[in-house]
């Protein structure tokens, strides 16, 4: 797992106003360890730097006169980036990178620059983890005092990120995963995600706007009105309605979990073959009864066992977390994240099938059976 932490200095605030990159600093982290490999260059932007930005980074027009233009360093930069995950501190840095490659009419080999976009620290971390990151960043910054520069900033960025994500463990093979989860508590819950950057945020809260309550009310009203003719058994309360809606793909405030680490592992490796997957381990110790949960008064995430179940929920040893509006993301220290590198996914799928974990057992219906047969035949 390769990650490159990249920091930029620029002539001004926005590339749409003609501003350019004047310094790039990057460090390579592999399997959560600093490699000592780095990239650093100053660039002649062929334009003046705004005074306020000179005051910020200390780089002057005079200093950059004899420095190379971006086109001269682009090949070396691309070689350094390779296919690593790019992590930035500032979101707008992505636009600066995209702009520089656009100006030289070159499509970068690392697709994150113009397609999927590099990640930012804040987008990858929960609120608590981000707070830890900022504290670590402040400590590292105080140690170097008045020193500045994009490379130094990238090193601080990487160190602070690693400090804030100590709960992440990179898995080496299926046996390593089994050993990691072998001594977990029977009450522990597991959730598999096919992209390790997916956070513990229910689908209801992933919408770009913030009107979650209004949207939820409308969706559930329509779902209840039109689903009744299709139901053999009517849900008895709001929690059961949410469980049913979640099961059939409606965005809700629920997250699916499993008591089985192997089931969670299956969901981590079955899709997105080019992305690292992850299994979250949540040390849940308190389970609520459905009838005692009041959604309107909910102020923290609660865990419950669904009574209005289905064959799939039973097959997947399922449980749910219910998330309040005030804290939609699970953000607790009692979370461990096992990262499964993308290159291991095919091997994991084969091994899990030998353990009886495959599409036909996880989805005990004709759809699951057909998916399992297709996978066996290489479709």
């Amino acid at each position: 797992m390769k990650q490159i932490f990249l920091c930029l200095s620029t002539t001004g605030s926005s590339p749409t106003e003609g501003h350019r990159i004047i310094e790039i600093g990057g460090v390579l982290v592999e399997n959560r360890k600093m490699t000592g490999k780095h990239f650093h260059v100053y660039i002649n932007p062929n334009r003046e730097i705004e005074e306020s930005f000179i005051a910020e980074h200390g780089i002057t027009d005079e200093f950059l006169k004899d420095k190379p233009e971006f086109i001269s360093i682009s090949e070396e930069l691309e070689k350094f980036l390779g296919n690593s995950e790019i992590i930035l501190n500032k979101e707008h840095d992505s636009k600066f990178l995209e702009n520089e490659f656009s100006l030289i009419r070159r499509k970068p080999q690392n697709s994150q620059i113009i397609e999927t976009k590099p990640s930012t620290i804040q987008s990858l971390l929960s609120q608590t983890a981000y707070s830890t990151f900022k504290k670590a960043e402040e400590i590292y910054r105080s140690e170097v005092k008045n020193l500045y520069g994009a490379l130094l900033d990238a090193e601080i960025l990487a160190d602070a990120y690693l400090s804030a994500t100590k709960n992440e463990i990179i898995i080496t093979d299926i046996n390593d995963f089994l050993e990691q989860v072998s001594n977990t508590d029977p009450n522990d819950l597991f959730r598999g995600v096919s992209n390790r950057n997916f956070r513990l945020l229910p689908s209801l809260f992933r919408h770009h706007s913030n009107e979650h309550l209004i949207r939820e009310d409308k969706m559930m009203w329509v779902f209840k009105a039109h689903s009744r003719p299709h139901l053999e058994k009517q849900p008895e309360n709001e929690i059961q309605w949410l469980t049913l809606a979640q099961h059939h793909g409606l965005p809700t405030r629920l997250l699916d979990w499993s008591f089985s680490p192997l089931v969670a592992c299956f969901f981590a490796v079955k899709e997105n073959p080019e992305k690292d997957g992850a299994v979250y381990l949540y040390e849940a110790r308190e389970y609520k009864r459905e009838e005692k949960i009041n959604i309107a008064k909910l102020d923290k995430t609660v865990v419950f066992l669904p009574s209005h179940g289905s064959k799939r929920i039973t097959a997947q040893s399922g449980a749910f977390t219910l998330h309040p509006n005030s804290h939609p993301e699970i953000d607790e220290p009692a979370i461990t994240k096992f990262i499964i590198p993308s290159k291991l996914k095919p091997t994991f799928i084969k091994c899990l099938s030998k353990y009886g974990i495959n599409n036909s057992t996880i989805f005990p219906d004709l759809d699951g059976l057909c998916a399992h047969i297709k996978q066996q035949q290489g479709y």
Side-chain angles (χ1 to χ4, degrees):
M1 186 179 79
K2 294 182 178 181
Q3 298 169 299
I4 287 177
F5 294 80
L6 212 60
C7 289
L8 311 177
S9 298
T10 63
T11 62
S13 59
S14 174
T16 59
E17 298 173 357
H19 288 292
R20 305 286 300 276
I21 295 174
I22 58 174
E23 184 189 16
I24 302 176
V27 296
L28 173 64
V29 173
E30 188 167 3
N31 295 332
R32 293 189 50 77
K33 293 182 180 179
M34 299 286 279
T35 63
K37 296 179 181 179
H38 66 272
F39 178 89
H40 184 236
V41 66
Y42 291 104
I43 302 167
N44 185 346
N46 289 314
R47 64 149 294 156
E48 292 184 349
I49 307 170
E50 288 189 353
E51 289 294 332
S52 60
F53 278 74
I54 293 177
E56 180 181 320
H57 49 58
I59 303 172
T60 64
D61 298 315
E62 183 67 24
F63 176 77
L64 296 175
K65 275 185 178 180
D66 62 345
K67 299 301 183 285
E69 297 180 3
F70 183 82
I71 191 171
S72 302
I73 62 92
S74 58
E75 188 173 336
E76 185 183 358
L77 174 61
E78 288 214 85
K79 184 178 179 181
F80 176 73
L81 295 178
N83 61 353
S84 302
E85 178 187 19
I86 302 172
I87 301 177
L88 306 171
N89 196 16
K90 302 173 184 176
E91 187 175 358
H92 71 266
D93 283 354
S94 175
K95 297 177 182 177
F96 273 102
L97 280 173
E98 182 179 357
N99 179 63
E100 293 293 345
F101 279 99
S102 175
L103 289 173
I104 64 173
R105 298 182 179 180
R106 179 170 177 166
K107 182 178 180 181
Q109 296 174 9
N110 192 310
S111 62
Q112 296 169 72
I113 295 174
I114 61 173
E115 294 174 11
T116 56
K117 304 300 180 186
S119 301
T120 62
I121 291 290
Q122 194 160 10
S123 70
L124 294 175
L125 301 178
S126 67
Q127 187 174 350
T128 297
Y130 186 67
S131 177
T132 302
F133 163 81
K134 295 302 290 184
K135 290 178 182 177
E137 183 184 34
E138 185 178 344
I139 292 171
Y140 294 136
R141 173 58 66 187
S142 67
E143 291 175 352
V144 295
K145 295 183 179 178
N146 296 323
L147 297 177
Y148 296 96
L151 181 58
L152 177 61
D153 287 343
E155 292 173 346
I156 291 174
L157 188 71
D159 281 330
Y161 176 85
L162 292 174
S163 294
T165 55
K166 289 180 178 178
N167 64 326
E168 294 185 2
I169 299 171
I170 299 177
I171 298 299
T172 57
D173 53 38
I174 187 72
N175 291 324
D176 180 29
F177 178 76
L178 294 174
E179 184 177 350
Q180 293 284 352
V181 301
S182 61
N183 294 320
T184 54
D185 190 276
N187 291 312
D188 288 343
L189 293 175
F190 300 87
R191 175 175 172 81
V193 291
S194 61
N195 184 333
R196 64 182 172 84
N197 290 332
F198 290 166
R199 293 159 65 168
L200 297 175
L201 188 69
S203 53
L204 174 67
F205 302 104
R206 297 174 201 162
H207 200 278
H208 58 84
S209 71
N210 293 320
E211 298 177 344
H212 307 305
L213 279 175
I214 296 173
R215 193 177 303 106
E216 179 184 44
D217 183 64
K218 288 181 179 178
M219 289 191 298
M220 291 305 297
W221 171 59
V222 174
F223 180 72
K224 291 175 183 178
H226 294 280
S227 64
R228 294 182 190 276
H230 305 284
L231 300 177
E232 295 181 4
K233 179 183 178 183
Q234 298 290 322
E236 298 175 1
N237 54 52
E238 192 64 22
I239 302 297
Q240 291 183 6
W241 274 113
L242 281 174
T243 303
L244 184 65
Q246 173 79 0
H247 171 68
H248 289 284
L250 198 69
T252 74
R253 60 178 61 245
L254 301 180
L255 270 186
D256 304 81
W257 296 80
S258 175
F259 287 102
S260 167
L262 294 182
V263 169
C265 189
F266 173 80
F267 283 103
V269 302
K270 81 182 191 76
E271 293 178 347
N272 276 340
E274 74 288 355
K275 298 288 187 180
D276 298 335
V279 173
Y280 286 100
L281 162 60
Y282 179 30
E283 297 178 9
R285 294 295 180 268
E286 183 180 354
Y287 288 79
K288 293 284 187 180
R289 295 177 182 270
E290 285 182 357
E291 61 272 16
K292 293 186 177 181
I293 299 175
N294 187 331
I295 298 177
K297 295 183 178 180
L298 203 63
D299 59 0
K300 65 177 182 178
T301 300
V302 297
V303 189
F304 71 94
L305 304 179
S307 61
H308 195 278
S310 66
K311 290 182 179 179
R312 286 190 176 186
I313 292 176
T314 302
Q316 296 169 18
S317 302
F320 291 97
T321 48
L322 179 67
H323 299 238
N325 298 309
S326 55
H327 301 89
E329 182 178 4
I330 294 184
D331 192 10
E332 299 182 17
I335 298 284
T336 302
K337 187 176 182 180
F338 301 109
I339 297 174
I340 303 174
S342 59
K343 65 181 180 180
L344 298 181
K345 284 187 174 183
T347 303
F348 268 63
I349 290 173
K350 291 180 181 179
C351 290
L352 289 170
S353 188
K354 290 182 180 180
Y355 287 123
I357 307 295
N358 53 55
N359 279 297
S360 66
T361 57
I362 295 297
F363 307 108
D365 50 32
L366 294 181
D367 290 342
L369 175 61
C370 290
H372 179 56
I373 294 172
K374 284 168 62 180
Q375 187 177 75
Q376 284 185 319
Q377 297 303 315
Y379 282 93

